[in-house]
Amino acid sequence: MVEILTEKCIGCGQCVKECFPKCLSIVDGKACANDMCIDCGHCYAVCPTNAINLPEQSEEGVIEFNNSKPTIDSELMLNFIKSRRSIRNYKDKKIPTQTMEHILQAGRFTPTGGNIQDVHYIFIQDNLETFKKMVWDGLNTILTDPERVNSIQERYRIILQNLWEAYSNGTGEDRLFFNSPALLIVNSNSALNGGLASSNIELMANSEGLGVLYSGFIQMALSINPAACEYLNITPDQIKSCMLIGYPNVSYRRTVPRKPTNIQWM
């Protein structure tokens, strides 16, 4: 519930104009709130005298704008997005906790539907080697279940079978984790909320010199393994992305071609 600091409020009405649920109004020259608030923070952001308080939210990381919000050159932003690659070759180098905490701020400040802020993260690094066995067990469950394995597209089924054979034969070749030092599991009740957070986290990781691989195979294996979900204290439907993350052991020289933008102008 939003709180109005009446000693600071000047009754300008900017918060009222910005409040789409219409939970704010001006009474006796001061803003006041009803119980319709969803804590979106628009009133907090627009108030010229900082007279709004959101007691259920943390102000850690809040920044003040000097006349206008921070911007980034649009071509620089587009080139940064174009230059991202799915990384399948990582250095044997751990990710500092402080770096990962900074990266996850990009997820924290990503919008969520209804401002529900239901995204949470599981970062596995120190116990990754132990956790890998749970992932492999999940893949084995898929491959030994005719109904499940036959539901997978042929090319992906062949890849999975080759991955399992290399692992089970003890060759040491790991084409599932690619020597990544860490795995980030993004969880939410909403596919949109989890996907948006994952995308921003990946870009933030890239800005820190790290690379990411979205692994559908790992996500598939975890979703089918009750022991893994119990270990993580989540349900299979909460998993929205599994992101291998680490320092790339490869350098790319250019962006890659893409199909033309598919857009319908109306």
Side-chain angles (χ1 to χ4, degrees), residues 4 6 17 46 54 70 85 93 105 115 117 128 134 137 197 204 206 222 243 254:
I4 310 298
T6 55
K17 293 178 182 178
V46 78
L54 300 175
R85 301 252 48 86
K93 180 180 178 181
Q105 290 297 300
N115 192 39
Q117 299 182 51
L128 184 60
M134 297 184 186
D137 286 346
M204 189 67 180
N206 291 170
L222 294 183
M243 306 166 68
R254 61 193 58 84

Side-chain angles (χ1 to χ4, degrees), residues 61-76:
V62 170
I63 60 173
E64 296 284 340
F65 299 153
N66 183 17
N67 297 324
S68 62
K69 68 178 182 179
T71 59
I72 186 171
D73 179 80
S74 61
E75 282 303 309
L76 178 64

Side-chain angles (χ1 to χ4, degrees), residues 40-257:
C40 70
H42 282 243
C43 58
Y44 179 99
V46 78
C47 180
T49 60
N50 198 20
I52 305 291
N53 185 33
L54 300 175
E56 294 186 4
Q57 309 297 325
S58 170
E59 292 188 332
E60 180 187 0
V62 170
I63 60 173
E64 296 284 340
F65 299 153
N66 183 17
N67 297 324
S68 62
K69 68 178 182 179
T71 59
I72 186 171
D73 179 80
S74 61
E75 282 303 309
L76 178 64
M77 184 65 182
L78 180 59
N79 288 338
F80 185 67
I81 293 172
K82 288 162 64 176
S83 67
R84 64 145 305 278
R85 301 252 48 86
S86 296
I87 303 301
R88 294 179 175 85
N89 188 358
Y90 294 93
K91 295 179 180 178
D92 185 12
K93 180 180 178 181
K94 294 189 69 173
I95 304 170
T97 299
Q98 186 176 7
T99 298
M100 201 62 215
E101 288 177 341
H102 186 54
I103 289 169
L104 290 178
Q105 290 297 300
R108 176 189 172 206
F109 286 99
T110 297
T112 54
N115 192 39
I116 194 171
Q117 299 182 51
D118 67 332
V119 185
H120 69 280
Y121 311 96
I122 301 173
F123 182 66
I124 307 173
Q125 181 165 245
D126 294 340
N127 297 316
L128 184 60
E129 289 304 316
T130 299
F131 188 70
K132 283 181 179 180
K133 186 178 185 305
M134 297 184 186
V135 177
W136 285 112
D137 286 346
L139 284 184
N140 185 42
T141 298
I142 294 170
L143 291 171
T144 53
D145 184 329
E147 183 176 350
R148 286 196 176 101
V149 75
N150 289 333
S151 68
I152 302 173
Q153 289 186 26
E154 182 180 9
R155 61 175 176 172
Y156 295 123
R157 183 168 67 248
I158 292 172
I159 292 173
L160 280 176
Q161 290 169 339
N162 289 339
L163 290 176
W164 175 255
E165 288 177 7
Y167 170 77
S168 59
N169 290 337
T171 62
E173 183 181 15
D174 184 355
R175 288 178 288 151
L176 184 60
F177 289 89
F178 301 102
N179 197 43
S180 168
L183 173 68
L184 177 67
I185 304 174
V186 179
N187 308 281
S188 172
N189 293 322
S190 163
L192 179 61
N193 294 346
L196 289 173
S198 298
S199 180
N200 280 348
I201 288 168
E202 181 194 17
L203 292 177
M204 189 67 180
N206 291 170
S207 75
E208 289 278 2
L210 286 95
V212 167
L213 172 67
Y214 292 98
S215 178
F217 289 152
I218 293 177
Q219 184 173 349
M220 186 188 307
L222 294 183
S223 298
I224 205 68
N225 188 344
C229 290
E230 183 178 355
Y231 176 79
L232 299 172
N233 195 28
I234 58 174
T235 57
D237 59 292
Q238 289 179 303
I239 303 174
K240 295 303 180 281
S241 72
C242 291
M243 306 166 68
L244 294 174
I245 183 168
Y247 294 94
N249 194 29
V250 57
S251 296
Y252 297 102
R253 298 182 179 273
R254 61 193 58 84
T255 62
V256 300

